[in-house]
Amino acid sequence: MNLSKSQDLLGILRSTFGFSRFRANQEAVCMAAIEGRDLLLVMPTGAGKSLCYQLPAIALGGTALVISPLIALMEDQVAKLAALGLRVARIHSGLDRAASRQACVDYLQGNLQFLFIAPERLRVPGFGEMLAKRRPALIAIDEAHCISQWGHDFRPDYRMLGQYLPALRPAPVLALTATATPTVQEDILAQLGMAKPERFIHGFRRENIAIEVVEVPVPQRPEAVCGLLADKARRPAIVYASSRKLAETLAAELSRTVSAAAYHAGLDAETRERVQAAFQSGALEVVVATIAFGMGIDKADIRTVIHAGLPATLEGYYQEIGRAGRDGAQSRTFLMHSYADQRTHDFFLNRDYPPVGNLEQVFKTLGEDPQAEGELRENSKLDEEEFDKALEKLEIHGGAKVDFGGYVTRGRTGWKKTYAVQAQHRAEQLGKVLRFTESSECRMAALVRHFGDVEDAGRVCGVCDVCDPAGAVLRLFRRPSAAERDAVQAIADELRAVDYKAAGTLQKGIDPTGRLGRSGFDGLLDAMTRAGLIEIEEAEYEKDGEVRRFRKVRLTAAGLELRRTTPVELLIADGLVEEFGRAARASRAPKKAAAKTGSRDKAAAGPVRPSAAAEALVAQLREWRAGEAKRLRVPAYVILHDRTLNAVAQARPGNPRQLKEIEGIGEAKVEKFGAAILELCRER
Ligand code: ADP
Ligand code: MG
Ligand code: ZN
């Protein structure tokens, strides 16, 4: 890195922005920009992407052209820059003509350091040419995922940006977004015609968030939520509910024991503001919200985020859980889902993305002459809600133009293609959430991969419900019954001779009578994955022009070695922890009893509550374990089960012999970790 340049940048950071140091990755991005490189920057919301174009813009001199899709975002940035004493102007539809004209004049005279424009401005005849008269020093495209029809906020106006850029070159183009899957990344680069772009995709891993994903039937959720949040250490908390009604119910139920309130779009602005302020100040410990909540929240000590239903997209989900633990302290998030959630989402999907036929009906009635929206609605065969939705979608995709007076004219015919693509994309997004819940990959690694940081996705987090099932709070795990252990052996034997088998084929092979059922079989696969015996890879093939998904199941090296007598830590998911769901207990009781009489197994692997005296030691052991897990790149439970860890803390062994007497500690563990554990156990 060029030293003097980097000193310059630091100087500007301090003198102009008043920040003492760069945040992660900011400096490298700024350097690339002032060297004139095109670049794509993908970092989470709040990571500080704006600075990555603002600072190089100042360093380069001249005017930076910033394209931003939302007036509110634009106004916010403009106000901030102006407050720093920078010369800045903006042009968007919320301003009067005189203000826009003045901004153009200032731009052409070189008076501006920043000019913000809305993308649709470029459609105004002559505007692109005007900009090209005085070439910008840098071009920043904020919320760049809007360019891609695969992005969740696709904007056709953004898509046209690419054609205006050549006239504005040779300025470097910086595309910024908080969310871009690899497909979206490629699309952005291609659409903008970027020259040898550098990619910066960083910062999606959160080290202090433990993610749990748990199947919880809808009726049991209120109780599970209340149970979780009864513990003071888990508050403050945000609970996300999928409907206003559920938000109200949950808030009422929680209010019996903690200070809680609902927050949703059905409340008046004043109430919402009051709730937000009370939560911010700590007067309110729990907010049960629909998705509208959280944008304005800047609260560092949120310990828990609960999704009481399946989120619609992984983007939204990640943002919401990301509100936990901003202070860096350990936090936990819970996603509750069940089959019923899928049906709810299908309903919303159909409502939000109506059939193309509905849009066509409305489009047909439009013409060159403006017609009043109300009249069109009256005359339409669609009901009111359907009509509004169809018109809204047509407008977004350019099939209709609605002016401020509510008059509608016909737009372009190409709307159908982008609409169909987007509707399909939305359905696929839900599919991704479902696969996330079903996957046996580390939760954090899966999210990091989803956001495009393939490089960082190889590392497991060690604390999620997949990495450390025994450490999970909400879900209970048990040892397998003798029959289940036999089935596990059969699976291993079946796989030994082959590279892989499809999960379906495998199931038929080991369970021809279907006794296990799909969920029983999947439970075994999950347990085997957790124990490191198999690997499951999502795969697909095409048949009759349709993409079909299947799972490839493959033995690992450890799995190859598995014999009937091999001791192995198998943990099978077994409902909810009792105190978090009374209903859960009722449904689980018979199964438990059966397992007990039918097998020679040890007791189920429930959470063990340590005595107060041992609590500090538990914390120390956990910290040590996390470090070891990270160092050895294995899940934490491979080092030491929670159960074992708690037992160690209770017993506080003084020598290797005593340590070995503890259930779950064998010769190998003593040899590998004995010294470290005994050191921690020594009284201080
Ligand atoms: P993003 O666009 O990535 O969501 P912003 O650019 O809006 O995030 O930045 C989020 C906040 O972080 C802003 O308030 C910004 O002033 C602040 N910020 C950015 N960089 C730094 C820094 N180096 N030091 C301190 N604060 C910073
Ligand atoms: Mg931003
Ligand atoms: Zn994990």
Side-chain angles (χ1 to χ4, degrees), residues 578-612:
E578 308 204 3
E579 57 264 46
F580 297 153
R582 232 184 299 125
R585 180 170 44 205
S587 70
R588 222 185 49 244
K591 208 166 44 173
K592 250 299 150 46
K596 218 166 254 165
T597 49
S599 79
R600 306 147 265 134
D601 291 327
K602 291 174 211 160
V608 180
R609 297 262 171 260
S611 79

Side-chain angles (χ1 to χ4, degrees), residues 188-249:
I188 293 173
L189 301 183
Q191 290 299 323
L192 293 178
M194 282 192 170
K196 290 205 207 116
E198 197 159 342
R199 296 185 206 209
F200 296 91
I201 299 155
H202 293 300
F204 288 96
R205 177 178 294 276
R206 289 288 305 274
E207 303 280 357
N208 63 328
I209 296 184
I211 301 171
E212 286 188 33
V213 178
V214 198
E215 196 170 328
V216 183
V218 176
Q220 283 165 237
R221 289 183 199 168
E223 219 169 335
V225 170
C226 291
L228 283 171
L229 298 181
D231 185 345
K232 174 126 189 54
R234 297 211 177 89
R235 309 192 297 257
I238 305 179
V239 181
Y240 287 101
S242 43
S243 70
R244 290 175 193 182
K245 200 171 132 242
L246 181 59
E248 296 282 356
T249 315

Side-chain angles (χ1 to χ4, degrees), residues 72-146:
L73 282 180
M74 208 186 285
E75 288 293 322
D76 181 55
Q77 292 294 338
V78 167
K80 278 187 180 156
L81 290 173
L84 295 175
L86 297 163
R87 284 167 282 123
V88 49
R90 75 270 196 217
I91 301 177
H92 59 66
S93 59
L95 297 170
D96 62 32
R97 233 163 248 226
S100 302
R101 202 171 311 125
Q102 186 58 47
C104 292
V105 170
D106 285 339
Y107 172 78
L108 289 173
Q109 292 184 343
N111 292 340
L112 298 175
Q113 287 171 290
F114 294 91
L115 176 64
F116 285 73
I117 63 167
E120 52 270 20
R121 252 317 115 162
L122 289 165
R123 264 194 290 143
V124 174
F127 189 78
E129 290 76 2
M130 186 282 292
L131 288 177
K133 276 190 202 148
R134 188 184 181 95
R135 299 191 176 172
L138 175 153
I139 302 166
I141 299 170
D142 206 2
E143 312 295 330
H145 59 276
C146 298

